Coordinates of all heavy atoms in Angstrom, one line a residue:
Q9 N -57.9 76.7 -61.5 CA -56.9 75.6 -61.4 C -55.5 76.2 -61.6 O -54.5 75.8 -60.9 CB -57.1 74.6 -62.5 CG -58.3 73.7 -62.2 CD -58.6 72.7 -63.4 OE1 -58.2 72.9 -64.5 NE2 -59.5 71.7 -63.0
W10 N -55.3 77.2 -62.5 CA -54.0 77.8 -62.7 C -53.6 78.5 -61.4 O -52.5 78.4 -60.9 CB -54.1 78.8 -63.9 CG -52.8 79.5 -64.1 CD1 -51.7 79.0 -64.9 CD2 -52.3 80.7 -63.6 NE1 -50.7 79.9 -64.9 CE2 -51.0 80.9 -64.1 CE3 -52.9 81.7 -62.8 CZ2 -50.3 82.1 -63.8 CZ3 -52.2 82.8 -62.5 CH2 -50.9 83.0 -63.0
G11 N -54.6 79.2 -60.8 CA -54.3 80.0 -59.5 C -53.9 79.0 -58.4 O -53.0 79.3 -57.6
E12 N -54.6 77.9 -58.3 CA -54.2 76.9 -57.3 C -52.8 76.4 -57.5 O -52.1 76.1 -56.5 CB -55.3 75.8 -57.3 CG -56.6 76.2 -56.7 CD -57.7 75.1 -56.8 OE1 -57.3 74.0 -57.0 OE2 -58.8 75.5 -56.6
R13 N -52.4 76.1 -58.8 CA -51.0 75.7 -59.0 C -50.0 76.8 -58.6 O -49.0 76.4 -58.0 CB -50.8 75.4 -60.5 CG -51.3 74.0 -60.9 CD -50.9 73.6 -62.3 NE -51.2 74.6 -63.4 CZ -52.3 74.7 -64.0 NH1 -53.3 73.8 -63.7 NH2 -52.5 75.6 -64.9
Q14 N -50.3 78.0 -58.9 CA -49.5 79.1 -58.5 C -49.4 79.2 -56.9 O -48.3 79.4 -56.4 CB -49.9 80.4 -59.0 CG -49.9 80.5 -60.5 CD -48.6 80.1 -61.2 OE1 -47.6 80.7 -60.8 NE2 -48.7 79.2 -62.1
A15 N -50.5 79.0 -56.3 CA -50.5 79.0 -54.8 C -49.7 77.9 -54.2 O -48.9 78.1 -53.3 CB -51.9 78.9 -54.3
R16 N -49.8 76.7 -54.8 CA -49.0 75.5 -54.3 C -47.5 75.8 -54.5 O -46.7 75.6 -53.6 CB -49.4 74.2 -55.1 CG -50.6 73.6 -54.5 CD -50.8 72.2 -55.1 NE -50.9 72.1 -56.5 CZ -52.0 72.2 -57.2 NH1 -53.1 72.5 -56.6 NH2 -52.0 72.1 -58.5
L17 N -47.1 76.3 -55.7 CA -45.7 76.7 -55.9 C -45.2 77.7 -54.9 O -44.1 77.6 -54.4 CB -45.5 77.2 -57.4 CG -45.7 76.1 -58.5 CD1 -45.8 76.8 -59.8 CD2 -44.6 75.1 -58.4
Y18 N -46.0 78.7 -54.7 CA -45.7 79.8 -53.7 C -45.5 79.2 -52.3 O -44.5 79.4 -51.7 CB -46.8 80.8 -53.7 CG -46.7 81.7 -52.5 CD1 -45.8 82.8 -52.6 CD2 -47.4 81.5 -51.3 CE1 -45.7 83.7 -51.5 CE2 -47.2 82.3 -50.2 CZ -46.4 83.4 -50.3 OH -46.2 84.2 -49.2
L19 N -46.4 78.3 -51.9 CA -46.3 77.7 -50.5 C -45.1 76.8 -50.4 O -44.4 76.9 -49.4 CB -47.6 77.0 -50.2 CG -48.8 77.9 -50.0 CD1 -50.1 77.0 -49.9 CD2 -48.7 78.7 -48.7
E20 N -44.8 76.0 -51.5 CA -43.7 75.2 -51.4 C -42.4 76.0 -51.4 O -41.5 75.7 -50.6 CB -43.7 74.2 -52.6 CG -44.7 73.2 -52.5 CD -44.9 72.3 -53.8 OE1 -44.6 72.9 -54.9 OE2 -45.3 71.2 -53.7
A21 N -42.3 77.1 -52.1 CA -41.2 78.0 -52.1 C -41.0 78.6 -50.7 O -39.8 78.9 -50.3 CB -41.3 79.1 -53.1
E22 N -42.1 78.8 -50.0 CA -42.0 79.3 -48.6 C -41.7 78.3 -47.6 O -41.7 78.6 -46.4 CB -43.3 80.0 -48.3 CG -43.6 81.3 -49.1 CD -42.6 82.4 -48.8 OE1 -42.4 82.7 -47.6 OE2 -42.0 83.0 -49.8
G23 N -41.6 77.0 -48.0 CA -41.2 76.0 -47.1 C -42.3 75.1 -46.6 O -42.2 74.3 -45.7
Y24 N -43.5 75.3 -47.1 CA -44.7 74.5 -46.7 C -44.6 73.1 -47.4 O -44.2 73.0 -48.6 CB -46.0 75.1 -47.1 CG -46.3 76.3 -46.3 CD1 -45.6 77.5 -46.4 CD2 -47.5 76.3 -45.4 CE1 -46.0 78.6 -45.7 CE2 -47.8 77.5 -44.7 CZ -47.1 78.6 -44.8 OH -47.4 79.7 -44.1
G25 N -45.0 72.1 -46.7 CA -45.2 70.8 -47.4 C -46.7 70.6 -47.7 O -47.6 70.9 -46.9
I26 N -46.9 70.2 -49.0 CA -48.3 70.0 -49.4 C -48.8 68.6 -49.0 O -48.1 67.6 -49.3 CB -48.5 70.2 -50.9 CG1 -47.9 71.6 -51.4 CG2 -49.9 70.0 -51.4 CD1 -48.6 72.8 -50.7
V27 N -49.9 68.6 -48.2 CA -50.4 67.3 -47.7 C -51.5 66.8 -48.6 O -51.6 65.6 -48.9 CB -51.0 67.5 -46.3 CG1 -51.7 66.3 -45.8 CG2 -49.8 67.9 -45.3
A28 N -52.4 67.7 -49.1 CA -53.5 67.3 -50.0 C -53.9 68.5 -50.8 O -53.6 69.7 -50.5 CB -54.7 66.8 -49.2
A29 N -54.5 68.2 -51.9 CA -55.1 69.3 -52.8 C -56.5 68.9 -53.2 O -56.8 67.7 -53.4 CB -54.2 69.5 -54.1

Side-chain angles (χ1 to χ4, degrees):
Q9 289 175 342
W10 182 86
E12 288 175 16
R13 279 193 306 276
Q14 297 308 307
R16 281 193 301 273
L17 292 170
Y18 166 84
L19 291 169
E20 288 172 332
E22 293 293 312
Y24 289 69
I26 304 301
V27 174

